[in-house]
Amino acid sequence: MNAVTKLKADPETGEAERTPIAVTQVSETAGPGPERRKKRRGGRFVLMALLPLAMVVGGTYFWVTGGRYEETENANLRQATVSIASQVSGRIVQANVRENGRVKAGDVLFVVDPEPYRIALSQADAALAAARIGVEQLRAAYGQAVAQEHVAAGEVDFARSQYDRAMELTGKGINTRSALDTAKRDLDKAREQLVVAKQGITSALAALGGDPHMETDEHPSVQSALAARAKAAYSLRQATVRAPADGVIAQVSSFKVGRFVGAGIALFSLVETGDIWIEANFKETQLTHMKSGQKARVILDTYSGRTLEATVRSLGAGTGAEFSLLPAQNATGNWVKVTQRIPVKLSLDNPPADMVLATGMSAYVSVDTGMTRGFGSLLGFAHASEPAR
């Protein structure tokens, strides 16, 4: 307790008088009362008990309701790439391609000098005409052989009648023996000529393929000439190379007019814009409930603010390591288990036309498997839910 003086004015003299006043000093360091301390201790205990409980409840909730969406950032946009090559060799006389230029299916990309192939086609036409004439000559030779067979058959009949008459006269003693021998020789000769005539027919018939009434263009020699002409015409058409599909030209900077190209050698690439898919590499542990037909969301890094709809088309036949140039061999003593990734192919559902898509773009993929863990997961099984639409 401290004393404090109070100033009071004297009404007679007007002087101030000091009057002591007792004041009780309260210590600033004095603690709260026992009841207040008990309340604080109780509040701390409740807080310490509720915080772990809230964490357990929250973790359990996310575990039970989670597992439906499988996500990965190890994904890329893919487009079919076609290597463009010429099927004929020659010098380039026309080139209509440029780097990153867009083309439509059927557009002329370049032209190989067609003149040698036009000449080859003219030669094939001439060979075809000669083959057709040859068939007509074979048919005429067959007719001639048939006529000769008829003549030879008539000679045999005449020689036989002469021989019969000579034998009859010789038997009567009118004709000499030499005359009979001459008649027999003529008959034998006529028979031999008939055999030769028949062989001529067989040869002519074989030359006509066994059918004297065969159409000219059905003859093997004409068929061969027709095939040669078709090949020459095909080579001439292949001198003009067209785009097989809509796409974008790539790696064409060194392709110029005047360059000599060989048949089958890749010259540049065409990235097809009409064939687009997403290749997402999921961990093997994420594929438990994933299957074809499930819906997915795709976000490209280039267009991070836009979500694209996609559908799972197929799951890879093996891990990426299995199809590498040197597959991993784990038959060693220092083997370490590593979670593998399996490629999953997804197709985009109606990709926006205003997006400029390039093969190899990075993407984020989230697949709705339609499976949630549910409370049954605590007992070892999952619950199938209706996928979001």
Side-chain angles (χ1 to χ4, degrees), residues 40-52:
R40 288 186 178 180
R41 290 175 183 173
R44 291 176 183 175
F45 177 78
V46 173
L47 182 61
M48 293 177 64
L50 289 178
L51 182 59

Side-chain angles (χ1 to χ4, degrees), residues 84 92 94-103 107-111 241-243 248-257 267-270:
I84 302 299
I92 302 300
Q94 179 182 345
N96 302 327
V97 293
R98 57 182 178 83
E99 191 69 25
N100 299 325
R102 292 186 172 272
V103 296
D107 289 351
V108 176
L109 301 179
F110 61 90
V111 178
V241 179
R242 301 180 182 273
V248 180
I249 300 298
Q251 300 175 332
V252 75
S253 56
S254 61
F255 186 79
K256 304 295 181 183
V257 173
L267 303 173
F268 50 88
S269 299
L270 172 67

